[in-house]
Structures are given as C-alpha cells and as structure tokens.
Amino acid sequence: MLRLFHVQNAPWATQFLLRKFNINARDDIVGLDFDRYLHHKRPEKKGRKIPMSGKTWQTQHDPWRGVSKTAFGVDYLKPYRAPDPAERDAIGIKGKIMELNCFDRDDEDRNAWDVYVQRLGGTGGVGHNLDQYHLPRLEDLDSGSAILLFEESNSGSIEDTIIASRRKMESRWRRLPFYLAFESQVSMDDDQMAVQCTKMIMQDIWKATAEAWEEYLEVAGGHVGILEDRIYENPADESLAPLLWTNSDMWLGVERLMLIHKNVIRECQANLRELADRFDTWLENTTGDFERINNLIQEDLIKPTAGLSDLMYKSVGIRDARHGVELSISLWRLSWITFIFLPLTFLCGFFSMQVSVFANTPSLMWYFVAALPMMLAVFASWYLLKQFLDGARQSPYARGVYEALLQNLATNYPLLWTRTGPRQSLKLSSRLERIKWWLILYWSAPEKTTDAGPVNDDSLFDGLGAWSRLKRRCIRQWTSQIQSTGKLQPQALQGAGGVASAADGLEANNILVNMAQVSTSPEAGTLRIPFDLNKRVSVIADSSRRSGSAGRPSTSSSGGRNSGVMVEEEELNWLANP
C-alpha cells in the first residue's frame, strides 16, 4: 500500500513524520540530513544575497527495517502582490529578493510584485516487508511505502504553496487507482500499482513547479517591458544604469536556479530508477517542459536586458563622442584666435624692446605698417603648408567623389568625357580653350583622382577642401564652355573612351565640326552634327543601343570596350526631308 502525506505550513507535522519514518536519524547508514534542509524554511541570507539551491539524496537502504528511501529539495520563486507601503511592516513578511513592476489602472508603472523564495521538499520510501529482520524496538517506526511532501509559504497560507490544498492535483491524487485502471486497461499487482502512482505523483509535482515558473516569467516579462520603455525614451540616461545592472544580476540568479532545477530532475530520475529496482522511464515529459522554460528565460529576460545594456553603452559612447566633437570645435576656435593674435603679440613685444632703434619712441603708425604684411605672410605660409599636406595625403573619400564626377560628365558631355576621364586627343582651335583643357587633363589624371594610392588611417586631412572644390567647379564650367563655343576636329573623337570608327568610311579629315551647332533631341536621345557634305553623321547616345542589333550598324569600340556611341551614314536626300 502506497500512502501520500502532503504537509503545508505545519512544522509539528513535519517533525512527527520525520521521526515516524526515521528520516531524522543521525546514523551514517540509514540517516539523511534531509531534516536539516527542511529545518530552514527559506534559504539563509549570505551577505546581501539569498542563494537559491536544490539538492537530492541518493537512495539508501535500511537493512533492519527493510526500507529503501530517497529525497529531493528545491527552492522556487513565488511572486506576491506588493502590499501598501504603510502596511508592509504590519504584515511582517521578510526575505524578499526582488521587486517587479507592472502597470496599474492608470497605465503608470509601480512596484506591484514582491518575489520571495519558497522551499519544496519531498521524500519517498519503499518497504520490503522483511519480517525476519524485524526488531521489537523499531515497532514505533513506520516501515511501509510512502511519499512525504513538505511545503512552506512565506505568507503562511496553504493557498500560496506550489500545490494548493484541495485543488486539482490533490483531488486527482485521491483517485489515482481509478485513473490508472481506466488508462492501462490491464490488471496490476500492488507493487506495479505503487510504482505507477509514484510516477504520476512525481510528474504532477514537477508540472506544478513548471507552472510556478510560468507564473513568475509572466510577471517578470511585464517588468522587462516597462524597463525597455523607460530606456528607449532616452538611451543615454545614465541614471537608469544601476536599475539595469540590478536586473541583469537578478536574471543571472534566475538562470542559475533553472540550471539547479534541471540538475535535480536529472538526478531524481536516476534515484527513482534505483529505488524502484527496475528500469523505467521517469519524468519523461518534465525535461522538455523545463527546456522550454529555460528558452523563455533566455529570450524574455536575459537577452532583452543584455540588449538594453548594449544600447545604453553605445548611446553613452555616441553622446560622449558628440561632446568630444563640440570640445574639439571650441579648441579649434580658440586656436584660430591664438593664431590671429600671436603675430600681433609678437609685434607688441618687439616694439617694447629697450633698444637704440626705438629710443626716439616711433609713432604708433609703424605698428600697423608692420602688422599688416606680417599677418599676410603668416596666412600665406599657413595656406601653402596646408595645400602641400593635402596633396601628400589622399582622402579616403576622394575616389568616390571623383567617380561620381566622371560619371556625371560622361553622361552630360559624351563627346568630351568618358567614364575613365577626359578624352586625350581633342583638337581645339582657341588657345584659351586649349589651356583650359590642359588644366582639366592635369587635374583629372587618374593618379590624382580614381587611382590614388592607399590612405593611412592616421591621416588628419581629407584632401577635399576649398581648392579641390574649386578645381571640380572649374572642370564643370570649362567643359560646358568648350562644348558650346569650341571647334573640334573629327579625329579628336579618337579619345580615351574611343570612338575611332566615327571617322571610318568618312572622307572628313579636314572638316571642322562646329560644336555650337550640335543639337540634342531628348525625345530620340540622338546628337546630330550637321555639315555641308554629301553625308550626315548621327551620333547615337542612347544607352539602350549599346549592343549591335540586326539591320543596324554595330556599336563602335575602343580597346575592346563598348563606347556607347554609334555612327551611321545617310545620303544627302535625308536633309531634304522635314
């Protein structure tokens, strides 16, 4: 016969049962220190922390009574509604390990939950009815098969234990033989019935523990949500850092407690198999439930809090970097003020020297006469030194800036520019335009723009200052002027981008193409260059005609690359058509 004793908040019953079943014996063979574990209703506080624990006791055999027994004990978290601050001392509940917030009816966060640690202990024994070893002095001890479950709640109420009194699980335990007879549909002897009942009871105990975990995680998840809202409003607010660190420490304690529970379950499985003296599957569904709860702890508590910590550190770093930039700007302004007044201060010291030259006390006018050229010399020296350093240190942004410039010029002025740079063999009639084009070629050289060497990480100059902007502006302006007013020879089309086939088949070696007569047709995407010979040259700049098609001339190329320009010939009667 298997008996179940469920003790809730009854120290006298606990002591009686421990003596009755000889659990509090101090003998090394048959004794357990399980009674010492139960004597402390809650974990002992060490320093500022309350360490949570769990423990199992290996199976022991009492040869005089013919009894085998094992035990386990775990701590678990129990949230209580936080009382009014004025009534907290009157209630007298102590041992709170954390406070959790939630929203009240006015959608304001407040301390609504106090979390305490409660202790659950259970032991089981199997009697083997060995009458030959029966001793008269042991008649007052109980040697039958029994399961003893001990619980203590911080509030002193039997409703706040992990298995509430006269609720679903206790009602089910009273009818376990009927459930087993209905589910198995096979006859079992007393030993088999006792083993199956023990399996169901242990399964229910750990299921109730998993439900207690889910209750706690629901409350803690709301607390983390409130903490996220407060930090996301101002991530750089360092006043919330202590609260964030406190929460991180709490969740680490929760994770350790979950690891303790998983280890206790694993050890209980081994001890129960040894106690039943048969290889059965114990707590088969419990392991999966606690793995799921462990994942919830990671996803709902630990990872969000770690993300908030990372967000706060990064936000504080960004804020400090911004303050550093502001300080640098202030120092830069102060440096400029010092730079301006330092030559003037030098002149003041120079004119105040007690030398024969200034014996007659020269006029104040000489101070301004000397100050003006000195200021000009200082500024000129600074500018030349800056330009020299800018030229020696290429900017990491220069390549991208010049690639965008070349693409824009190649799109707007395809006869003068390619994606790699200006065309090299343009023949310009005006001396001023040739000088401008030579400067454009010099400034746009690949070694100075897109093919510049690597940049050192410690470079303090970007190379894209006022002089670089001036050069790019001149390149754009002069290119527009050369295309609108310049005169270009046809062989000049054989440039870097390469449209050498423009002159193939045309007897136009001595023909001057007036670029001012070039008209653009946006609708057709065609540039037409009229001249007064028997043939007409039409330069197609539409990007959709880059590859040759049937019935059309193929795209010209230079160096094996498509130039995007197609040249076709038409008869003179084309000019007569409207």
Side-chain angles (χ1 to χ4, degrees):
M1 180 179 64
L2 178 66
R3 295 161 296 168
L4 173 62
F5 299 89
H6 186 198
V7 181
Q8 297 172 298
N9 299 325
W12 60 269
T14 301
Q15 294 300 325
F16 173 78
L17 292 175
L18 291 177
R19 288 196 307 268
K20 188 68 174 177
F21 287 90
N22 200 31
I23 298 175
N24 59 354
R26 294 295 180 261
D27 191 280
D28 294 336
I29 299 177
V30 299
L32 297 174
D33 60 349
F34 181 67
D35 61 321
R36 298 178 182 177
Y37 184 82
L38 293 180
H39 177 70
H40 301 285
K41 301 179 182 178
R42 58 185 62 89
E44 296 180 354
K45 187 174 183 179
K46 296 182 180 179
R48 295 184 178 181
K49 295 184 178 181
I50 300 178
M52 295 170 285
S53 63
K55 188 176 181 181
T56 60
W57 285 263
Q58 294 182 352
T59 303
Q60 290 187 353
H61 304 280
D62 189 343
W64 294 281
R65 296 168 52 214
V67 173
S68 301
K69 55 188 175 182
T70 185
F72 74 94
V74 291
D75 298 332
Y76 64 96
L77 301 174
K78 177 65 178 180
Y80 289 89
R81 279 288 180 180
D84 187 77
E87 302 176 357
R88 189 181 299 272
D89 296 335
I91 295 177
I93 301 179
K94 299 181 180 180
K96 177 177 61 176
I97 64 168
M98 63 181 72
E99 297 178 353
L100 302 180
N101 299 332
C102 74
F103 289 107
D104 57 12
R105 296 179 179 178
D106 298 329
D107 288 338
E108 295 182 359
D109 60 283
R110 65 180 185 88
N111 177 26
W113 296 95
D114 293 337
V115 180
Y116 296 86
V117 179
Q118 297 186 168
R119 180 157 287 180
L120 169 67
T123 181
V126 178
H128 302 290
N129 297 323
L130 301 179
D131 295 334
Q132 62 273 26
Y133 295 107
H134 182 74
L135 300 177
R137 66 176 181 273
L138 301 179
E139 292 180 355
D140 58 336
L141 299 179
D142 193 321
S143 301
S145 300
I147 297 176
L148 283 69
L149 187 62
F150 305 96
E151 291 192 78
E152 294 283 347
S153 63
N154 284 274
S155 63
S157 173
I158 60 176
E159 301 296 332
D160 294 329
T161 55
I162 199 170
I163 299 175
S165 177
R166 295 180 177 85
R167 295 294 180 87
K168 178 181 178 181
M169 288 190 179
E170 278 199 354
S171 300
R172 183 168 179 263
W173 290 347
R174 293 189 180 96
R175 298 175 177 83
L176 278 181
F178 300 100
Y179 284 111
L180 291 174
F182 177 77
E183 292 177 0
S184 62
Q185 300 294 331
V186 294
S187 60
M188 293 183 291
D189 56 17
D190 293 342
D191 292 340
Q192 293 176 345
M193 181 70 71
V195 170
Q196 295 300 322
C197 288
T198 304
K199 281 186 176 181
M200 297 185 69
I201 292 172
M202 293 298 297
Q203 189 78 29
D204 290 343
I205 291 173
W206 287 106
K207 182 178 180 181
T209 307
E211 292 176 354
W213 270 109
E214 292 174 352
E215 179 186 2
Y216 169 78
L217 291 179
E218 182 179 359
V219 176
H223 176 82
V224 173
I226 293 175
L227 185 62
E228 288 178 337
D229 294 340
R230 295 178 63 182
I231 292 181
Y232 285 145
E233 288 179 0
N234 187 9
D237 186 5
E238 295 182 4
S239 62
L240 297 176
L243 179 61
L244 191 59
W245 298 333
T246 302
N247 281 266
S248 299
D249 182 64
M250 288 192 307
W251 308 147
L252 290 177
V254 171
E255 185 182 21
R256 286 194 295 268
L257 182 60
M258 170 53 66
L259 180 61
I260 290 172
H261 281 204
K262 293 169 64 176
N263 292 335
V264 169
I265 291 172
R266 184 166 54 252
E267 293 173 4
C268 279
Q269 290 175 331
N271 293 337
L272 290 172
R273 282 195 292 267
E274 184 180 357
L275 179 66
D277 196 19
R278 54 191 297 180
F279 187 81
D280 287 335
T281 303
W282 292 82
L283 307 176
E284 53 185 350
N285 298 326
T286 303
T287 304
D289 292 340
F290 276 77
E291 287 292 341
R292 175 180 57 83
I293 295 173
N294 187 38
N295 293 334
L296 290 178
I297 293 174
Q298 295 290 333
E299 299 296 331
D300 296 347
L301 301 183
I302 296 178
K303 289 184 179 180
T305 307
L308 292 177
S309 299
D310 185 62
L311 174 63
M312 178 174 290
Y313 286 132
K314 289 181 179 178
S315 301
V316 171
I318 293 173
R319 185 200 61 190
D320 293 343
R322 187 181 297 113
H323 290 171
V325 172
E326 295 175 356
L327 180 60
S328 300
I329 294 175
S330 300
L331 294 176
W332 178 80
R333 293 169 182 166
L334 181 61
S335 300
W336 266 104
I337 295 174
T338 305
F339 180 77
I340 293 173
F341 284 94
L342 187 61
L344 303 178
T345 305
F346 169 77
L347 286 179
C348 290
F350 181 76
F351 278 99
S352 64
M353 295 173 63
Q354 299 295 330
V355 294
S356 59
V357 178
F358 305 125
N360 297 327
T361 311
S363 174
L364 183 63
M365 176 190 66
W366 292 105
Y367 176 81
F368 294 101
V369 171
L372 182 60
M374 177 169 285
M375 292 293 295
L376 293 177
V378 169
F379 277 104
S381 301
W382 165 81
Y383 183 77
L384 293 176
L385 181 62
K386 182 178 182 299
Q387 293 301 319
F388 174 76
L389 293 177
D390 287 349
R393 299 180 180 182
Q394 184 67 23
S395 168
Y397 310 106
R399 181 181 180 89
V401 171
Y402 282 108
E403 285 182 349
L405 175 65
L406 294 178
Q407 182 178 2
N408 186 11
L409 294 173
T411 302
N412 296 332
Y413 311 104
L415 295 180
L416 303 178
W417 288 83
T418 65
R419 293 289 298 276
T420 59
R423 301 186 186 276
Q424 302 291 331
S425 58
L426 292 181
K427 304 291 184 179
L428 299 173
S429 59
S430 173
R431 181 182 300 273
L432 178 61
E433 291 174 353
R434 287 198 296 269
I435 294 175
K436 292 180 180 179
W437 191 251
W438 180 84
L439 289 174
I440 291 174
L441 291 175
Y442 178 76
W443 290 339
S444 305
E447 62 273 9
K448 297 180 179 295
T449 56
T450 57
D451 294 341
V455 186
N456 296 328
D457 294 337
D458 58 350
S459 178
L460 300 178
F461 303 92
D462 59 0
L464 297 178
W467 176 241
S468 180
R469 290 194 297 269
L470 178 62
K471 290 191 294 185
R472 294 197 299 271
R473 182 176 181 180
C474 291
I475 288 174
R476 293 191 184 95
Q477 185 175 358
W478 292 350
T479 300
S480 177
Q481 293 175 357
I482 291 173
Q483 177 164 315
S484 61
T485 61
K487 290 186 177 181
L488 184 67
Q489 294 183 7
Q491 59 267 29
L493 295 175
Q494 305 175 11
V499 282
S501 61
D504 296 347
L506 297 177
E507 297 177 358
N509 293 331
N510 299 320
I511 299 175
L512 293 178
V513 180
N514 190 350
M515 299 301 296
Q517 299 177 357
V518 177
S519 62
T520 303
S521 176
E523 296 82 3
T526 304
L527 297 176
R528 295 177 178 176
I529 308 176
F531 51 91
D532 47 353
L533 279 182
N534 292 333
K535 296 183 183 289
R536 193 264 308 181
V537 177
S538 176
V539 183
I540 310 299
D542 193 342
S543 61
S544 63
R545 301 181 181 182
R546 287 185 180 273
S547 60
S549 58
R552 295 177 179 237
S554 61
T555 304
S556 61
S557 61
S558 176
R561 295 180 299 171
N562 292 336
S563 64
V565 180
M566 183 172 67
V567 179
E568 14 177 357
E569 299 179 4
E570 294 187 7
E571 298 296 333
L572 184 61
N573 57 6
W574 171 82
L575 298 173
N577 295 332

